Amino acid sequence: MNDMPLITVIVPVYNILEYLPRCVHSITAQTYRNLEIILVDDGSTDGTGALCDELAAEDVRIQVYHKENGGSSSARNLALKHAAGEYVGFVDSDDYIEPDMYQCLMEGIRQFSVSVAQTGRDEIDEKGNLLPNICEPPEEPLIIESRRFMEELLLHRGDCSFCTKLIRRDLIPADGFPPDRLNEDFHLLIRMLPEIGKILSLPRQDYHVFYRIGSNSRKADRENFSRVYWDCVENADMAAGLVKRDYPELEETAFRFGIFQRLEYLLHIPVSQMRRDNVPYRKVVSYLRKNWLTAMKNPILTKKNKIYHTLFAIAPKKIRQIHAGLRRN
């Protein structure tokens, strides 16, 4: 067995001139030296593509591919086709990592005989402020079986990000990440969970998310409604199907997840887009109305969830107008 298997680190890149050097240098500085680093320039228009080539000239481990713009998933999938590593990791181009992240992840994989290990993450805003944790890391190394990991994801306690993980390459299916949607990490991970079997979670926060307004799912314009909210609804329905097949004891949890994602959709959609010709909007409201009684009987949905569900089922546009007004005040 190779004591230092090759790790391929994949970085999709698009118009990120200011922050890319910090990201790449945090990877080249890893104490685990046996790395292949793939930068995929996804059709950048601000000179980022040339910067990728300059960074590659600094370190022979860096490879660069240039392509037409197609989104993060298509960039990741291109890199996966070229990846030579036995293990693969991902870093977003505005984020950065601790110097020993991959060393610790690989040591964990070897020590606990797992095929996937994850570290924790924190989030930092544009002013340098540390934001509240989305996912709390464990207090000690923790082995999580796939059924339990699915449950944690459905309860919004688990971490679906591929960026915090080191994964055995052959576990990733040939079609890779879905190129036509956001929330792509959740989509792919829940498909992979039955084959993964178990995941090691480390009591660390080695991955640093730079919370930048203007990234795919974070827009400052109130009228901009990211497609991620509808993609999350569709992913919830896919999760419900997988749960029914592989983890039927979690069906009530999966149902709660689907309701929650639909409430999130309605709590963020601009009032101007709540129209009869908006098919996703109509589908969300119709689902809430058809499944109202089941939701009221669900033991996992909170009282607050059920109140919102009831109100949105009765008068979705009016409730959204009131909610938007309260948020502005």
Side-chain angles (χ1 to χ4, degrees):
M1 183 180 292
N2 186 357
D3 287 337
M4 289 191 66
L6 180 65
I7 295 174
T8 298
V9 183
I10 294 171
V11 185
V13 175
Y14 178 71
N15 286 0
I16 194 70
L17 202 61
E18 181 178 357
Y19 302 109
L20 184 61
R22 178 181 66 180
C23 171
V24 173
H25 292 150
S26 75
I27 301 170
T28 57
Q30 290 294 295
T31 56
Y32 192 96
R33 303 303 296 169
N34 194 20
L35 301 178
E36 171 189 61
I37 304 164
I38 301 181
L39 309 182
V40 181
D41 168 34
D42 190 35
S44 297
T45 59
D46 67 344
T48 296
L51 177 58
C52 287
D53 296 329
E54 293 174 17
L55 291 168
E58 297 176 1
D59 194 312
V60 296
R61 298 173 297 172
I62 299 177
Q63 302 174 31
V64 179
Y65 295 92
H66 301 276
K67 62 182 285 295
E68 292 184 1
N69 182 252
S72 178
S73 288
S74 68
R76 284 174 162 185
N77 289 340
L78 174 64
L80 284 169
K81 291 179 181 178
H82 295 280
E86 182 180 348
Y87 291 85
V88 63
F90 300 86
V91 180
D92 286 341
S93 55
D94 44 2
D95 300 338
Y96 58 101
I97 60 179
E98 287 297 307
D100 58 347
M101 185 176 98
Y102 285 118
Q103 182 79 42
C104 292
L105 289 170
M106 183 60 76
E107 288 175 355
I109 283 174
R110 308 306 284 274
Q111 179 182 351
F112 291 92
S113 299
V114 295
S115 54
V116 179
Q118 72 175 18
T119 186
R121 56 178 163 141
D122 56 26
E123 295 203 5
I124 301 167
D125 69 16
E126 291 178 305
K127 296 180 179 179
N129 300 312
L130 193 63
L131 302 176
N133 287 336
I134 293 179
C135 304
E136 293 293 340
E139 294 182 358
E140 57 186 28
L142 178 66
I143 297 290
I144 309 172
E145 299 291 336
S146 61
R147 177 208 165 279
R148 178 62 178 170
F149 203 93
M150 174 67 89
E151 183 177 21
E152 291 295 296
L153 290 175
L154 296 177
L155 291 172
H156 294 93
R157 296 195 299 244
D159 182 7
C160 67
S161 173
F162 276 73
C163 290
T164 56
K165 295 172 179 60
L166 184 60
I167 302 171
R168 206 177 69 213
R169 170 67 181 86
D170 61 0
L171 288 171
I172 300 177
D175 56 348
F177 294 89
D180 57 346
R181 68 177 63 223
L182 300 176
N183 197 223
E184 65 272 20
D185 286 22
F186 179 89
H187 180 101
L188 180 56
L189 183 62
I190 63 173
R191 286 175 54 203
M192 293 170 55
L193 275 180
E195 188 168 350
I196 289 174
K198 55 187 178 181
I199 294 175
L200 169 66
S201 184
L202 296 178
R204 302 169 56 93
Q205 287 182 297
D206 295 312
Y207 191 93
H208 306 298
V209 177
F210 182 56
Y211 196 92
R212 183 171 59 93
I213 298 298
S215 61
N216 279 346
S217 59
R218 304 163 187 154
K219 304 292 183 180
D221 185 357
R222 290 181 183 273
E223 286 303 306
N224 185 290
F225 185 47
S226 173
R227 57 176 284 187
V228 72
Y229 292 103
W230 176 244
D231 287 347
C232 285
V233 170
E234 292 194 316
N235 279 344
D237 290 344
M238 185 184 80
L242 294 175
V243 162
K244 185 175 182 179
R245 183 191 70 191
D246 297 317
Y247 316 107
E249 67 276 17
L250 296 179
E251 285 195 69
E252 284 188 330
T253 308
F255 176 80
R256 172 261 176 205
F257 184 73
I259 295 296
F260 191 95
Q261 296 306 130
R262 286 170 169 85
L263 294 178
E264 281 286 291
Y265 178 98
L266 291 173
L267 287 167
H268 288 85
I269 184 172
V271 175
S272 62
Q273 297 185 32
M274 301 176 81
R275 307 182 307 268
R276 290 182 180 274
D277 63 346
N278 185 335
V279 176
Y281 164 68
R282 286 206 336 264
K283 287 183 176 180
V284 166
V285 174
S286 176
Y287 184 94
L288 292 182
R289 289 171 175 168
K290 289 179 180 178
N291 292 277
W292 178 83
L293 185 58
T294 304
M296 296 306 107
K297 295 178 180 179
N298 185 278
I300 307 170
L301 283 165
T302 66
K303 183 178 180 180
K304 182 179 179 180
N305 295 153
K306 293 176 181 180
I307 290 172
Y308 268 113
H309 185 156
T310 300
L311 293 173
F312 274 124
I314 295 171
K317 192 169 184 178
K318 186 63 177 177
I319 297 305
R320 180 66 183 99
Q321 287 173 330
I322 294 172
H323 182 263
L326 291 173
R327 291 186 66 186
R328 283 195 294 270
N329 298 331

